[in-house]
Amino acid sequence: MADQYAQFGEDKRLSEIPALRWEEPPEGPVLVLLDQTRLPAEEVELVCTDASALVEAIRSLAVRGAPLLGIAGAYGVALAAVRGFDVEEAATALAGARPTAVNLAVGVRRAQAAHRDALARTGDVRQAAQAALAAARTLHREDAEASARMAGHGLALLDELLPGGGHRVLTHCNSGSLVSGGEGTAFAVALAAHRAGRLRRLWVDETRPLLQGARLTAYEAARNDMAYTLLTDNAAGSLFAAGEVDAVLVGADRIAADGSVANKVGSYPLAVLARYHHVPFIVVAPVTTVDPDTPDGASIEVEQRPGYEVTEVTAPQVPVAGAGGGIPVAPLGTQAYNPAFDVTPPELVTAIVTEEGAVSPVTAEALAELCARSRQVTIS
Ligand SMILES: CSC[C@@H](O)[C@@H](O)C(=O)COP(=O)(O)O
């Protein structure tokens, strides 16, 4: 494993390897992605020259995680615009590439609106394309700022809930700099605790079936010299029972108006475990993840992924392959249940931490008030 990390450069911090960047080589603008399907073994860049390549990268999870999907979606609209493609068509394809993470549609709409406004105002397609690009850049920068503020609010909440310090935090999926313009959401809080000398241990759920915890969160934790331990998702129960978890920190893909939280499948069982063991279950997400148009958890569309992600393990370098290109771990023809997300009801969520502060207890009224406050801050 050490050798695999070495190829990234011994002295290179993960924060120096952006998950995504806009570049303008002489052949024309491109969106460069760090292909997350190849981490931690290889650092491979994926260069998107049009929105359809980006749609494919989003579907394959080369680029993933709610905040980064929003940023990518906005740049995707800009890419279509600067390269002279049909912007409305590209926006529709991008926004529909994955259904659960609301940030994707929010990011796409933001760049699309900037493009439409500039086109209506100036009638100049080049100016409209630059307006879309400026909107994407602003969103990218805002996400980095929001990430830093979430980390501050989240650490303050942890310290308040766990006054003894020495926090032992369990996290699920990946919510660090690989999903953000900054240092992420839930992971950014754990990282802030680590930097403040108050993180005793980060428990990292491997996050079946695509191993975002093992491949990505453990990778980010290692690169930040955090004390971390990887566990299989089904080992979490015995870890709680042993009294080894002080708090659970997870991100979110969509938060309904009533406070229901959609996040990577496996988050809901952790919330149930946390309640049984009297451990706080804390969700960290930017305000843009709160979707006032989705009234409750039952209204959240949960993405269903292909069954081969469960019936096979992926190892691209191994030639023996099942339908999904991986090594079969179940009899051929086995049906799989593979929702990408689950929904945690608000009564199991101790707090939702955003860049505007924390909501606890989680109620529809408190969330609505938070969103209204955020809009005022954005407008003024
Ligand atoms: C800040 S990240 C929040 C979520 O997007 C994250 O926890 C998650 O579930 C990502 O799922 P993924 O399917 O890898 O895109």
Side-chain angles (χ1 to χ4, degrees), residues 255-260 287-295 346 352 354 356-377:
I255 299 173
D258 73 343
S260 298
V287 175
T288 45
T289 304
V290 181
D291 178 15
D293 296 331
T294 298
I352 295 177
T354 74
E356 298 299 334
V359 166
S360 180
V362 177
T363 63
E365 295 69 30
L367 271 181
E369 201 266 320
L370 180 95
C371 290
R373 197 165 70 231
S374 157
R375 268 195 297 276
Q376 274 168 15
V377 173

Side-chain angles (χ1 to χ4, degrees), residues 71-354:
I71 298 166
Y75 278 118
V77 170
L79 192 59
V82 294
R83 286 198 169 251
F85 289 97
D86 184 329
V87 172
E88 298 297 315
E89 201 179 287
T92 305
L94 285 163
R98 292 189 77 190
T100 307
V102 69
N103 300 65
L104 175 58
V106 168
V108 167
R109 278 203 302 267
R110 192 156 156 184
Q112 187 182 20
H115 182 265
R116 278 187 191 151
D117 285 357
L119 198 56
R121 222 179 33 253
T122 66
D124 182 321
V125 288
R126 254 174 297 188
Q127 284 194 47
Q130 287 310 309
L133 180 57
R137 286 194 159 124
T138 303
L139 181 64
H140 199 167
R141 197 189 56 244
E142 282 175 3
D143 186 66
E145 288 162 7
S147 173
R149 291 170 67 193
M150 281 184 273
H153 292 309
L155 180 56
L157 181 69
L158 269 189
D159 289 344
E160 187 188 319
L161 293 172
L162 310 168
H167 312 319
R168 295 164 304 173
V169 169
L170 174 64
T171 193
H172 190 69
C173 198
N174 171 257
S175 59
S177 62
L178 290 168
V179 302
S180 167
E183 290 182 323
T185 59
F187 185 86
V189 176
L191 189 54
H194 165 68
R195 287 181 181 143
R198 293 199 285 283
L199 183 75
R200 182 136 58 110
R201 180 128 318 254
L202 183 65
W203 297 110
V204 179
D205 259 10
E206 65 171 353
T207 318
R208 277 280 293 158
L210 297 178
L211 304 177
Q212 288 93 332
R215 295 187 303 104
L216 308 175
T217 302
Y219 169 69
E220 294 201 49
R223 301 203 54 102
N224 283 289
D225 300 320
M226 295 160 88
Y228 76 95
T229 302
L230 184 66
L231 60 142
T232 60
D233 301 344
N234 44 12
S238 57
L239 194 66
F240 276 97
E244 292 287 331
V245 182
D246 298 319
V248 179
L249 285 176
V250 293
D253 283 83
R254 187 181 299 242
I255 299 173
D258 73 343
S260 298
V261 174
N263 191 51
K264 178 53 58 193
V265 67
S267 300
Y268 168 59
L270 288 179
V272 175
L273 274 172
R275 177 55 51 94
Y276 184 77
H277 290 281
H278 309 290
V279 164
F281 180 88
I282 300 166
V283 173
V284 187
V287 175
T288 45
T289 304
V290 181
D291 178 15
D293 296 331
T294 298
D296 51 30
S299 312
I300 298 177
E301 183 184 347
V302 172
E303 175 186 2
Q304 299 293 321
R305 303 279 305 172
Y308 61 70
E309 291 178 348
V310 177
T311 59
E312 296 171 19
V313 288
T314 310
Q317 64 276 34
V318 178
V320 182
I327 304 166
V329 291
L332 284 179
T334 298
Q335 280 189 21
Y337 168 64
N338 190 18
F341 304 99
D342 58 25
V343 178
T344 300
E347 59 272 20
L348 292 183
V349 180
T350 310
I352 295 177
V353 175
T354 74

